[in-house]
Amino acid sequence: MPPAGTARMNPSADAMELSSFFAPQRTPSQALPDPEPLLGNLTRGVLEVFAGVRDVDQLTRWLTEDAYRKLVVRANLAARARSARGVPATRPVHTIMSVRQSSPADGVVEAVVIVRGPARTRAVAMRLEGMDGRWRATSLALL
């Protein structure tokens, strides 16, 4: 037993162990639900955020911190562009044409969702990773 008043030998090792315990835990694909409904719903949500009819905070639970920050920046740019043109926010009418997905690793899905709107057809590319028992988008791109 160490004498009273002596410090631990490696306090940073204890901190690292605690941070890894509370960090997001990877989840294998077999323990996760089918990602296709999330891909469609998240695509609709992202398009509504860009149109200004949905608050980006409503999508927070399905996004990682980095993807959330990038979405906020892009949504703010879209809002400024609408304001500069004097265009009001209106609910977009989109039809999901197809969802293509692949799994490059266990607990990872990369997908492209093709969406037809009134003016043009767009693609939303995203990467989902299994974290803490659910899918979370780590990357989003509206093309």
Side-chain angles (χ1 to χ4, degrees):
M1 180 170 244
T6 59
R8 289 187 133 163
M9 294 303 289
N10 193 354
S12 65
D14 291 337
M16 289 297 290
E17 185 177 317
L18 276 175
S19 69
S20 67
F21 179 75
F22 287 106
Q25 302 296 312
R26 293 268 182 211
T27 304
S29 295
Q30 62 200 21
L32 294 164
D34 179 23
E36 192 154 339
L38 176 61
L39 292 168
N41 290 333
L42 194 54
T43 298
R44 284 186 198 93
V46 167
L47 292 171
E48 289 174 357
V49 165
F50 291 149
V53 296
R54 180 182 293 268
D55 188 21
V56 71
D57 291 338
Q58 294 177 353
L59 303 180
T60 303
R61 71 177 297 178
W62 294 291
L63 302 171
T64 59
E65 190 175 333
D66 188 43
Y68 172 78
R69 271 193 251 119
K70 289 179 182 177
L71 186 60
V72 167
V73 168
R74 183 95 187 257
N76 288 338
L77 290 173
R80 288 175 53 194
R82 273 192 317 278
S83 176
R85 290 184 311 222
V87 176
T90 57
R91 183 162 303 280
V93 178
H94 291 96
T95 304
I96 293 181
M97 302 302 294
S98 67
V99 178
R100 310 283 177 163
Q101 58 180 307
S102 65
S103 183
D106 188 36
V108 176
V109 170
E110 292 178 346
V112 175
V113 181
I114 307 298
V115 182
R116 186 178 65 207
R120 62 183 173 171
T121 300
R122 304 190 82 162
V124 178
M126 65 181 82
R127 178 182 172 100
L128 302 178
E129 294 184 16
M131 293 181 199
D132 298 330
R134 62 188 166 134
W135 291 111
R136 295 190 69 192
T138 57
S139 178
L140 287 169
L142 178 63
L143 309 173

